[in-house]
Amino acid sequence: MQLEPEDEQILNGEYGETRQKMMELLVGLGKVFGADELIPITSAQVSGASYKTIGKWGLEWLRKMDAKVVVPTVLNPIGMDRLRWKEMEIPEDFAAKQKEVVEAYEHLGIELECTCTPYYLSITQFGEHLAWAESSAVCYANSVIGARTNREGGPAALAAGIIGKTPFYGLHIFKNRQPDVGVVIDDPSDLKDAADFGALGYVAGKSIGNRIPFFTGIRPNRDQLKAMGAAMAASGAVALFHVDTITPETRFPAFKKDVPDTIEVSMAEVREVFSAMDVDAVAVGCPHLSPEELETLSSMLIGKTVTKPFFVFAARGVIADHPQAVSAIERSGAKVYADTCVVVSPALDRYDRIMVNSGKALAYVPTMCGAVARIGTLEECVTVATS
């Protein structure tokens, strides 16, 4: 791998042990994937932020770090709302460890905005090179925005944030971003809500795996694209997808619409994902709600009172920018939490059946929370939570 003189100095330990270790990680990763060089990035997003997922050994590793990130870097959701964790009934011993994790990341200069939707907080441009780790954020950045990032592991994203560069391979290269499987839906007119697109992604992701799909015949909006991509990243390993004339790269002359394979998805398969079982709690915002989703939810809850626990998750910055919507939601008895989500918080581990509005949560709740998951539209979630 060709390194610039300063990078060679970092690799030789002239900028400290932590930066040396981070450079070693990036160079090693680049060699594995055949990268010829490191390229600058504009931002990083680091996973492995919840104590529920990294545990004591991950915390010990973080404590040994002694460097600062050199590009804007945010965290994935942690295991609790940093300010309202007691309301969430988070055990004090877990909260203490989670605070230590957050402090360790803060010591590294990372912004304490803990979200899977960093694109709502700062402008990410088409063509920018990133080092993001959370699967749904990666999928959105690549597909909806047209930025370029591989699906980084937490340590690699952290290393990229500290060095300011990432190996040039994979989805950073345009020729590797072409689709290799088509997806056709038999009756796309039935796809109306973000949950419908989440269910579609949940079904399609299982067949797509880690390939790059090209969808035709559908016209999802941004929230629906987010839901579909997040679900495919969870049930499969999709890091980039294209939708004909909707996602930006499909409008390039060099985009290749001829694919070697095609998957057919029936709406009957999608509808089978939905069920009508009773639930103990309702949770929406996985991925974190957009400003539009937050406003829509507030309108749906006007004059209503929840009858079972209703968790709403969004980025702290989005919550702060929409105080009236948040107040309207919480007047119903629902709770709007920042920094965390249904998947990475122990707050929902006490429930056996949880209703969600996303295919991503549908895929992760059984393994991460030990609960049975039911998917429904945002409106259906409100109905169940208030009936």
Side-chain angles (χ1 to χ4, degrees):
M1 180 182 290
Q2 184 71 32
L3 296 179
E4 295 183 0
E6 185 179 19
D7 295 336
E8 291 280 8
Q9 292 172 345
I10 294 172
L11 190 60
N12 292 333
E14 296 178 34
Y15 286 79
E17 183 180 2
T18 296
R19 290 174 66 79
Q20 180 185 32
K21 294 295 185 185
M22 295 298 95
M23 181 62 80
E24 288 174 351
L25 192 160
L26 294 178
V27 170
L29 186 66
K31 288 181 178 178
V32 167
F33 289 100
D36 295 327
E37 61 179 328
L38 299 178
I39 54 170
I41 59 169
T42 57
S43 68
Q45 189 241 10
V46 180
S47 62
S50 172
Y51 188 71
K52 179 178 176 179
T53 55
I54 71 168
K56 68 176 184 178
W57 299 118
L59 177 56
E60 286 299 318
W61 182 73
L62 285 174
R63 283 176 174 152
K64 297 175 183 177
M65 299 285 179
D66 187 21
K68 300 288 185 183
V69 296
V70 296
V71 295
T73 304
V74 298
L75 290 176
N76 202 37
I78 61 174
M80 63 189 194
D81 186 305
R82 290 184 290 118
L83 304 181
R84 302 174 66 186
W85 60 270
K86 289 185 179 179
E87 286 183 46
M88 297 182 72
E89 300 182 33
I90 300 295
E92 291 202 8
D93 57 342
F94 180 94
K97 292 296 184 182
Q98 182 63 78
K99 289 177 183 178
E100 290 182 41
V101 172
V102 171
E103 288 168 1
Y105 279 120
E106 186 176 24
H107 175 72
L108 299 174
I110 294 176
E111 300 172 36
L112 298 187
E113 185 70 70
C114 311
T115 181
C116 51
T117 56
Y119 40 84
Y120 293 146
L121 305 176
S122 60
I123 296 174
T124 302
Q125 302 279 8
F126 178 89
E128 284 186 347
H129 292 282
L130 319 170
W132 288 10
E134 199 278 326
S135 62
S136 71
V138 167
C139 212
Y140 191 97
N142 277 322
S143 312
V144 183
I145 299 172
R148 300 184 180 186
T149 177
N150 291 312
R151 186 168 169 170
E152 303 287 2
L158 178 58
I162 289 173
I163 299 300
K165 296 181 179 182
T166 194
F168 187 52
Y169 76 95
L171 296 178
H172 290 284
I173 302 171
F174 180 75
K175 70 177 183 179
N176 295 335
R177 298 172 64 87
Q178 298 284 1
D180 48 17
V181 59
V183 183
V184 178
I185 300 92
D186 66 349
D187 190 4
S189 62
D190 274 357
L191 296 166
K192 297 180 174 63
D193 187 87
D196 297 329
F197 282 91
L200 169 61
Y202 178 83
V203 171
K206 294 179 180 181
S207 299
I208 294 167
N210 64 355
R211 291 181 289 177
I212 300 175
F214 175 49
F215 288 81
T216 55
I218 60 174
R219 298 195 63 80
N221 62 31
R222 287 196 164 224
D223 284 330
Q224 293 165 345
L225 288 166
K226 177 182 72 172
M228 185 172 74
M232 289 191 291
S235 68
V238 175
L240 165 64
F241 66 93
H242 302 286
V243 179
D244 193 22
T245 73
I246 300 294
T247 52
E249 291 177 44
T250 64
R251 298 189 286 270
F252 281 16
F255 183 81
K256 298 176 182 178
K257 296 187 177 183
D258 294 329
V259 290
D261 188 19
T262 300
I263 294 171
E264 295 185 5
V265 179
S266 71
M267 282 305 299
E269 293 177 87
V270 175
R271 287 295 166 210
E272 286 178 3
V273 174
F274 292 82
S275 69
M277 71 175 183
D278 293 333
V279 296
D280 307 316
V282 179
V284 300
C286 178
H288 281 168
L289 295 185
S290 68
E292 294 78 13
E293 289 171 317
L294 202 63
E295 293 287 350
T296 299
L297 179 59
S298 71
S299 299
M300 290 179 176
L301 284 168
I302 291 175
K304 297 182 179 179
T305 301
V306 301
T307 57
K308 53 174 56 71
F310 190 4
F311 296 80
V312 180
F313 300 105
R316 185 169 295 280
V318 171
I319 291 172
D321 288 343
H322 296 82
Q324 291 183 333
V326 172
S327 295
I329 292 168
E330 296 210 319
R331 278 197 295 271
S332 74
K335 297 295 183 181
V336 182
Y337 293 119
D339 306 322
T340 189
C341 80
V342 57
V343 172
V344 297
S345 174
L348 285 97
D349 291 355
R350 59 184 179 270
Y351 302 112
D352 295 323
R353 298 179 302 277
I354 302 171
M355 186 172 188
V356 298
N357 71 323
S358 81
K360 173 187 175 183
L362 184 69
Y364 284 147
V365 161
T367 54
M368 296 296 292
C369 302
V372 179
R374 168 189 172 183
I375 189 173
T377 65
L378 191 61
E379 185 175 9
E380 288 167 345
C381 285
V382 168
T383 298
V384 168
T386 58
S387 60

